[in-house]
Amino acid sequence: MSFKKRINKYRRNIMRSITKNIGSTYSEPQKGDINISDIKKVLIIRPNHRLGNQLLLTPLVQEVINTFQDCEIDLFVKGGVAHPVFENYKQINKIIKLPKKPFNNLFQYAKSWVSIKQKTYDLVINGDKNSSSGRLLTQMAKAKIKVFGDVNETIQKNFKDHEHISKYPVYNLRHYLSKLGFSSQDKDMPVLDIKLNDSEINKGKTVLNNITKNDKKTICIYTNATGNKCYSEEWWETFYSRLKLEYSNYNIIEMLPIENISKINFKAPHFYSKDLREMAAIIHNTSIFIAADNGVMHLASASLTPCVGFFSVTNPNIYAPYGNGSVALHTNKTTIDDWIKAIDGILK
C-alpha cells in the first residue's frame, strides 16, 4: 500500500471514530408531526467525486422525487461529475460542490461547507453511512428531519440486498418515514438512471451505426478498471476469443478509457468519448455491456442496458449492477462457462 493510501486510510479511520456517534442524540420528529406535503426542500449529501458513486446516488434521488411529488432537491457532492449525471433531473435545484482537490482550493472548500448553513430544509439525507463528512454535514444542516444513514436491524432482517450501496439509503428512508406515520408501500427499488432523452438516444444510435456499419445487435465490452480490479491482458484475450466464438452473429465493440488502453490490443472496433452522456447513449443502443467493477459499468447500468459485472476483489453485494436483467459474477468462484451462460440468459 502506498504512503498516500496509508495516510488516507488512517485519516478515514480517525474521522469515523470521531463521527460515529453523530446523530445519536438527534431528537426525531414524532408520528403525526410531519405530513408528506410538508416536505418541499430536500438536501442529499454525498461528498464523493467518483463517477460511480454519483451514479449510485440516482436511485435515492428518484425515491425522494417519487415520494415527495412537489419537492426541489439540492445535492452536496464533490467535483463536477454530478452535473452531467443529473442534467435531466428537473427537480434538482442546486448542486453544491466541494472541490475535487480541497488542499488546492481551501477557500472554495470552506465556502461550500459554510453554505450548508445558509438554507433551511425540510429533509436532509446522508447518502453514505460510512461518510464521516456526510454525517458532519447532516448534523450541521438546518432541517426538520435528518436521516443520518444508519442501517436499522429491521432492514437487515427483511431485505437480503440491504448491503447494496444504492439500495440501503432507499430502505433507510422508507423505514424512517414509516416511523413518522407515512404509509409504507411495497414499491419497486429504483434502478440507476441517467435519464437519457430521445435526442441523446438517437444520436447514440447514429454513432453506434457508424462504428458497426451493419444492422446486427451489439455487445459492448470495457476492459479497463482501477487498481487490482483490472484483469490482465491474458484474461481479457481469452474471454474475448470465447465471445467471438459464441456470438459470431453479434457485433463486439470495445469502449476505451481516457488512457486509450485496450486489454485486447485494439482487436475489436472501438470508440471513446469525453462526454458521459454520449457514452451512455451509445451503450443504451447495445444489447449488453460487459466490464469489471468500475464507474463505467455503473454508467452502462444507468443507461438502462443489461450489464455483466465481473468482480474479484470488491464485494458484489455492495456494488453489483442490478435491474434491466443485469448480473454480477465473482470470477474467483465461477468459470468462463458460467459467464457465457449468464450472457446467454440476457441475450436469449
Side-chain angles (χ1 to χ4, degrees), residues 29-43:
Q30 299 300 306
K31 186 175 182 179
D33 286 352
I34 303 292
N35 296 315
I36 285 285
S37 58
D38 294 335
I39 309 299
K40 301 291 187 184
K41 297 179 180 179
V42 180
L43 173 65

Side-chain angles (χ1 to χ4, degrees), residues 175-194:
H175 178 75
Y176 190 93
L177 294 178
S178 69
K179 291 196 301 180
L180 295 179
F182 299 158
S183 60
S184 180
Q185 301 176 0
D186 293 328
K187 297 178 290 184
D188 291 337
M189 177 64 62
V191 298
L192 277 66
D193 192 354
I194 202 170

Side-chain angles (χ1 to χ4, degrees), residues 111-125:
K111 183 179 178 182
S112 297
W113 274 76
V114 171
S115 69
I116 207 85
K117 300 285 288 183
Q118 296 174 349
K119 184 174 179 178
T120 299
Y121 295 94
D122 302 308
L123 171 64
V124 174
I125 304 170

Side-chain angles (χ1 to χ4, degrees), residues 1-10 12 101:
M1 185 182 293
S2 68
F3 176 75
K4 182 178 179 181
K5 287 184 177 179
R6 287 200 302 270
I7 291 297
N8 283 333
K9 182 179 180 180
Y10 293 143
R12 286 193 295 268
K101 297 182 178 179

Side-chain angles (χ1 to χ4, degrees), residues 119-329:
K119 184 174 179 178
T120 299
Y121 295 94
D122 302 308
L123 171 64
V124 174
I125 304 170
N126 176 27
D128 179 9
K129 66 180 186 295
N130 294 317
S131 171
S132 301
S133 54
R135 297 181 76 88
L136 282 170
L137 287 159
T138 303
Q139 177 83 338
M140 287 174 55
K142 295 187 289 185
K144 299 175 184 176
I145 306 175
K146 298 183 179 183
V147 181
F148 285 88
D150 299 304
V151 180
N152 185 274
E153 290 182 3
T154 303
I155 296 171
Q156 295 174 339
K157 179 181 178 181
N158 292 338
F159 301 101
K160 293 181 179 179
D161 56 353
H162 72 270
E163 289 184 76
H164 198 281
I165 194 169
S166 277
K167 296 180 181 182
Y168 76 72
V170 175
Y171 286 135
N172 278 356
L173 179 60
R174 291 177 181 178
H175 178 75
Y176 190 93
L177 294 178
S178 69
K179 291 196 301 180
L180 295 179
F182 299 158
S183 60
S184 180
Q185 301 176 0
D186 293 328
K187 297 178 290 184
D188 291 337
M189 177 64 62
V191 298
L192 277 66
D193 192 354
I194 202 170
K195 291 194 179 294
L196 295 167
N197 59 37
D198 290 342
S199 175
E200 291 172 318
I201 290 171
N202 290 334
K203 288 179 182 177
K205 184 177 183 180
T206 299
V207 174
L208 180 62
N209 289 340
N210 289 335
I211 298 168
T212 61
K213 297 181 174 21
N214 61 53
D215 58 0
K216 294 194 296 186
K217 293 181 179 180
T218 299
I219 295 169
C220 184
I221 63 174
Y222 183 81
T223 64
N224 196 44
T226 56
N228 56 2
K229 292 189 292 184
C230 191
Y231 292 91
S232 68
E233 287 190 7
E234 180 182 6
W235 190 96
W236 274 108
E237 290 270 11
T238 301
F239 179 60
Y240 176 61
S241 296
R242 182 68 181 272
L243 281 179
K244 288 197 299 178
L245 178 66
E246 298 283 348
Y247 305 107
S248 58
N249 57 333
Y250 282 79
N251 300 306
I252 302 176
I253 65 171
E254 181 181 10
M255 172 178 280
L256 299 178
I258 191 172
E259 298 87 355
N260 196 37
I261 294 170
S262 169
K263 295 293 184 179
I264 58 170
N265 292 306
F266 305 98
K267 292 179 179 177
H270 48 267
F271 70 97
Y272 165 71
S273 174
K274 293 182 179 179
D275 186 327
L276 289 179
R277 300 194 67 84
E278 181 182 55
M279 291 166 64
I282 296 169
I283 295 169
H284 178 88
N285 285 282
T286 64
S287 297
I288 192 171
F289 184 87
I290 305 172
D293 174 28
N294 60 66
V296 179
M297 179 194 74
H298 296 305
L299 180 65
S301 188
S303 78
L304 306 183
T305 296
C307 294
V308 172
F310 289 127
F311 290 75
S312 59
V313 294
T314 47
N315 187 348
N317 291 334
I318 299 175
Y319 297 108
Y322 71 94
N324 314 304
S326 296
V327 296
L329 297 167

